[in-house]
Amino acid sequence: MIPANAIDETVAFYERLQRTSCHMRFVFPHKHLEVAGVGNILVIAGDDEALEPFRSTGASIVVDDIRWYATYLAEAGAEIVEAPFPVSVGSEMRVRHADGLLVNYVEHRPGPIDDSLTSMQDIQ
């Protein structure tokens, strides 16, 4: 997580590091955040107040099927802190792994949001 005014420089660094271009970049206006994806790195930018709720998150992982990961992680003993929920670019969830690490899982989809991701019933 970085200050909002550092996102361009940070994205450029990761583009050079991974020898790839930024493949997604969008704003979450309701959370006052900007997010960019470069290779397997998810860059989250905002002011201190906007980033505060996310500071306890140790990692953000992009996955291809959030329902599969939710089911697998629950069966593996992880705590689903926030069940999969729709966001403007797909869906996300927060999970506390058995080792205590809090992880934000994100599935990005280019198509319409799947409003069925509203409860744990969808993954059980």
Side-chain angles (χ1 to χ4, degrees):
M1 289 173 281
I2 59 167
N5 64 356
I7 192 163
D8 291 331
E9 181 180 333
T10 302
V11 166
F13 169 79
Y14 285 112
E15 287 177 327
R16 289 188 307 273
L17 178 69
Q18 297 187 72
R19 299 181 188 150
T20 189
S21 298
C22 179
H23 61 274
M24 68 175 166
R25 189 163 172 174
F26 50 89
V27 175
F28 283 109
H30 62 288
K31 291 190 178 184
H32 306 286
L33 297 171
E34 186 170 356
V35 177
V38 182
N40 60 357
I41 303 292
L42 191 61
V43 178
I44 303 170
D47 62 26
D48 284 339
E49 185 178 339
L51 293 172
E52 186 57 38
F54 303 95
R55 294 211 188 277
S56 62
T57 302
S60 290
I61 300 175
V62 177
V63 298
D64 60 353
D65 184 345
I66 203 161
R67 292 176 194 224
W68 184 90
Y69 279 89
T71 300
Y72 174 82
L73 289 162
E75 290 172 356
E79 173 192 358
I80 308 298
V81 176
E82 287 184 76
F85 60 93
V87 294
S88 61
V89 295
S91 53
E92 68 180 81
M93 68 177 171
R94 294 184 73 195
V95 177
R96 185 171 312 282
H97 291 183
D99 64 2
L101 181 67
L102 186 60
V103 178
N104 185 51
Y105 285 85
V106 182
E107 177 185 346
H108 294 281
R109 287 187 302 277
I113 295 172
D114 181 354
D115 289 329
S116 68
L117 291 173
T118 57
S119 73
M120 282 296 289
Q121 295 174 357
D122 293 326
I123 61 168
Q124 295 177 347

